[in-house]
Amino acid sequence: MADDFLPIEPLSREAFAPFGDVIDPDPASMRLINGGTTRRFDALARVEAYGEDAEVVISIFRGEPRRFPYLVTMMERHPLGSQSFSPLSGRPFLVVVSEDRDGIPAVPRVFLASGGQGVNYRSNVWHHPLMTLGAVSDFLVVDRLGPGNNLEEYFFDTPYLIGEPTP
Amino acid sequence: MADDFLPIEPLSREAFAPFGDVIDPDPASMRLINGGTTRRFDALARVEAYGEDAEVVISIFRGEPRRFPYLVTMMERHPLGSQSFSPLSGRPFLVVVSEDRDGIPAVPRVFLASGGQGVNYRSNVWHHPLMTLGAVSDFLVVDRLGPGNNLEEYFFDTPYLIGEPTP
């Protein structure tokens, strides 16, 4: 086991760009619609769904809060589609992703998302399953449904450690 | 103008079935994932996006609250795709839809969604633009982006009235 805690970075569009989209009200994407009564922050994330008979579905994930220090023993990825998570609770959560190194996840990066930020993992981006903080929390999830194997998992020989996030 | 207020109905899966999906944690859809740490309420809504080069995108709509009594002067529909709205604020909102009668919206039906309920309008379902209650509120929206005319509007000769909802 690694002795050091992985650094926890604030979630920003720029820092997260190699992995996917940040879903929050980006002023650059804003246009007025519905006779000026609604601001549309447009196309913050693009959904991917590959393969014959692939569908896009909307689900709700209800995550148990994680305990810290947390041991990152594995990562997963979805080759056939993107997957987005947007908090419905207003509570922050952790986003753990890795760049790919010859088919294996590199050292994970840990982002602290605010309760007003969602993320969309692009297809084939290594990520850790949902890491809820503090209390049981619901997330809106947009991902792919359909035939074919859309899950790949990798288990680390040497797990990584995440310390308690300080908001 | 009609003198009577339209009735306001509670939003339920059964009542809303002719128009689309209710997006809330339906126990019938639940399965455990992520080693038992997450409950997945699966495929609560199916996203439609028709036509060449159509994409599915995730946006945020920030709606100004409506004032009551509210005059429903028009409805719209999207022939090429579904459109979902899920509140990020936890506040209730109004869902106004119509069945189609020979290409024209019938008398609108008004549903009061709780702050824990979203909706997904199926393609070609007449609906009123976002009706936020009480305060400026953000909604996660999943809909179609792409070429082609995906908007049809209808203006009523005789508008309908909605009274102040009592939660």
Side-chain angles (χ1 to χ4, degrees):
Chain A
M1 189 200 323
D3 289 332
D4 292 337
F5 291 147
L6 293 167
I8 299 181
E9 309 171 53
L11 181 65
S12 71
R13 217 168 295 283
E14 296 68 30
F16 197 67
F19 309 106
D21 310 298
V22 173
I23 303 170
D24 64 4
D26 176 17
S29 70
M30 200 278 280
R31 56 190 177 90
L32 281 171
I33 60 168
N34 295 344
T37 61
T38 304
R39 290 172 156 70
R40 178 174 179 137
F41 301 93
D42 192 37
L44 300 166
R46 289 180 139 74
V47 179
E48 300 167 274
Y50 304 118
E52 215 172 333
D53 296 327
E55 283 186 279
V56 175
V57 294
I58 304 174
S59 305
I60 291 175
F61 280 26
R62 174 167 292 169
E64 300 282 336
R66 303 288 180 166
R67 294 197 191 141
F68 296 90
Y70 184 84
L71 207 54
V72 178
T73 58
M74 60 82 69
M75 303 283 270
E76 63 181 37
R77 62 178 179 177
H78 307 299
L80 299 179
S82 58
Q83 187 175 46
S84 80
F85 291 84
S86 291
L88 296 173
S89 66
R91 269 188 291 274
F93 65 108
L94 285 187
V95 175
V96 183
V97 288
S98 287
E99 298 206 35
D100 183 78
R101 295 273 180 276
D102 302 320
I104 285 174
V107 177
R109 287 178 67 182
V110 185
F111 295 97
L112 179 60
S114 80
Q117 291 180 310
V119 292
N120 185 44
Y121 303 124
R122 268 198 301 272
S123 61
N124 246 345
V125 165
W126 291 109
H127 59 275
H128 189 276
L130 182 60
M131 294 195 68
T132 296
L133 300 176
V136 173
S137 303
D138 285 358
F139 293 77
L140 204 75
V141 173
V142 180
D143 66 2
R144 175 195 179 275
L145 183 73
N149 180 17
N150 191 26
L151 176 64
E152 189 179 346
E153 291 177 314
Y154 182 83
F155 291 83
F156 291 114
D157 290 334
T158 306
Y160 295 92
L161 263 179
I162 301 176
E164 179 102 43
T166 50
Chain B
M1 188 200 325
D3 289 332
D4 293 337
F5 291 148
L6 293 168
I8 300 181
E9 309 170 55
L11 181 65
S12 71
R13 217 169 295 284
E14 296 68 30
F16 196 67
F19 309 105
D21 311 298
V22 174
I23 303 170
D24 64 5
D26 176 17
S29 70
M30 199 277 280
R31 55 190 177 89
L32 280 171
I33 60 168
N34 296 344
T37 61
T38 304
R39 289 173 157 70
R40 177 173 179 137
F41 301 94
D42 192 36
L44 300 167
R46 289 180 140 72
V47 179
E48 300 167 272
Y50 304 118
E52 215 172 334
D53 295 328
E55 281 187 280
V56 175
V57 293
I58 304 174
S59 304
I60 290 175
F61 281 25
R62 175 167 292 171
E64 300 281 338
R66 304 288 180 166
R67 294 198 193 142
F68 296 90
Y70 184 85
L71 207 55
V72 179
T73 59
M74 60 82 69
M75 303 283 273
E76 64 180 38
R77 61 179 178 176
H78 307 299
L80 298 179
S82 58
Q83 189 175 45
S84 80
F85 291 85
S86 291
L88 297 174
S89 66
R91 270 188 290 274
F93 66 108
L94 285 188
V95 176
V96 183
V97 287
S98 286
E99 297 206 35
D100 184 76
R101 295 272 182 274
D102 304 319
I104 286 174
V107 177
R109 287 178 68 182
V110 184
F111 295 97
L112 179 61
S114 80
Q117 291 181 310
V119 292
N120 185 45
Y121 302 124
R122 269 199 300 272
S123 61
N124 246 344
V125 165
W126 291 109
H127 59 274
H128 189 276
L130 183 60
M131 294 197 67
T132 297
L133 299 177
V136 173
S137 303
D138 286 358
F139 292 78
L140 204 74
V141 173
V142 180
D143 66 3
R144 176 197 179 274
L145 182 73
N149 181 16
N150 192 25
L151 176 64
E152 189 180 345
E153 291 176 313
Y154 181 83
F155 292 83
F156 290 114
D157 291 332
T158 306
Y160 296 90
L161 262 179
I162 301 176
E164 178 103 41
T166 51

